[in-house]
Amino acid sequence: MFTRTGNAKGIDSETCAQRGYRLFAPVYDRVFGQSLHHGRKAAIEALECEPGERILELCIGSGLSLELYPSDVVLVGADLSRDMLLLAARRLRQSRPEGSRSLVQMDAERLAFADGSFDKAVVLFGVAGLPDAVRAMQELRRVCRPGARIVIASRFRSGPKWLRVFDLLLAPLYRFIAYRSDLDPSALLAKSGLDLIDMRPVNLLGYSSVLVCRSP
């Protein structure tokens, strides 16, 4: 299973996003499994994990990324949605991956970890669904050691304008799970205090991007 921790208000008061993910959880893997696989794989490769490192994946959802991590890292997956974590816990039980893997229910904007607890961190297609993405990234920076590599995969406002036709097509689903497709990556990083190392297009037609960042 998973550990329930963090701010009580953030966990017990269901947000629009939580309600959306609770209702959407049964079909989440079928919709976003293979379609976002390339982005998840590219983001985890960009982490450049080393043996023994402690890795935090924020907004781990149903755990579609679990099998992509090296077996010699200590992985902690955090998410606010109990329904999504139940899927991730089931995936862990069924796959029984090598290495240390744990799941915690936690508010991304109020992480219950001590400063510098992790060597690296990643957010895979979850940042645009957070009520306050900047605050969550500041928290992510806090719980990582100075100079840590932080990787963010998401749909951003950048890129060719013609790709926005897909935003229009997906708009009903995005509204349902309170997901934004217009995040400005430059503003997000500047306000979060993260330094950009690289930005890479991922997924079909480069619809999404992977930001490789460093905590100062």
Side-chain angles (χ1 to χ4, degrees), residues 14-23 81 129-131 176-179:
E14 188 177 57
T15 65
C16 291
Q18 282 178 275
R19 184 163 55 253
Y21 278 107
R22 173 169 56 82
L23 297 173
S81 171
L130 296 172
F176 185 68
I177 58 176
Y179 188 89

Side-chain angles (χ1 to χ4, degrees), residues 141-156:
R141 176 184 165 190
R142 177 186 66 79
V143 302
C144 287
R145 61 174 176 78
R149 178 168 286 218
I150 296 175
V151 177
I152 305 166
S154 183
R155 166 62 180 155
F156 291 104

Side-chain angles (χ1 to χ4, degrees), residues 174-192:
Y174 287 166
R175 284 194 296 270
F176 185 68
I177 58 176
Y179 188 89
R180 294 176 56 192
S181 61
D182 63 345
L183 277 180
D184 182 342
S186 299
L188 175 66
L189 298 185
K191 293 177 181 179
S192 304

